[in-house]
Amino acid sequence: MALNDPQWGNKKNGGPPDLEEMLRSFNRKLSGFFGGKGGGGGTSGGMGGGISLIVAIVVLVWIGSGFYIVDPSQRGVVLRFGKFTEATLPGPHWRWPYPIESVEIVNMGQVRSVEV
């Protein structure tokens, strides 16, 4: 089969699928996922559902970033807007994510000394 054969792209001959049809199918599925009608060439007003879904995912990831674990030889110091709030014991904990709270993990097993 030659590269310039006009019958090469036909599905009857077992050639590759039509790229434009694949893109149209992908766009229909994508617009259906984001709340679009999945129809023809008009503008779909369903992007509000997709944007709210993306915002919800971002908020969930932001809230999930507040989990932290303190090892047995460590203590966690929670700072709210840079001011000491509490000291946490070993184990899993949750804090308000950045920029509201931050956690400094302090190793209590390490001996620190300063020579004067």
Side-chain angles (χ1 to χ4, degrees):
M1 180 176 288
L3 290 177
N4 60 357
D5 186 9
Q7 298 296 320
W8 184 74
N10 291 343
K11 291 185 180 183
K12 294 180 230 173
N13 294 339
D18 187 23
L19 182 61
E20 291 178 12
E21 181 58 38
M22 286 176 46
L23 288 175
R24 271 188 241 118
S25 172
F26 176 74
N27 285 337
R28 269 188 252 121
K29 289 179 185 177
L30 189 64
S31 67
F33 176 73
F34 285 120
K37 305 290 188 246
T43 60
S44 63
M47 282 305 290
I51 291 173
S52 63
L53 177 68
I54 292 171
V55 168
I57 290 172
V58 167
V59 168
L60 286 175
V61 168
W62 179 72
I63 289 174
S65 70
F67 288 100
Y68 65 99
I69 297 175
V70 179
D71 289 334
S73 66
Q74 299 174 337
R75 297 294 181 264
V77 177
V78 179
L79 305 172
R80 183 173 296 142
F81 298 114
K83 184 178 178 183
F84 173 80
T85 303
E86 66 176 317
T88 58
L89 296 174
H93 300 280
W94 185 82
R95 62 167 173 86
W96 283 102
Y98 180 84
I100 300 170
E101 289 184 344
S102 63
V103 174
E104 297 290 328
I105 304 294
V106 180
N107 188 354
M108 300 300 283
Q110 179 182 4
V111 177
R112 297 179 183 185
S113 63
V114 176
E115 293 186 31
V116 181

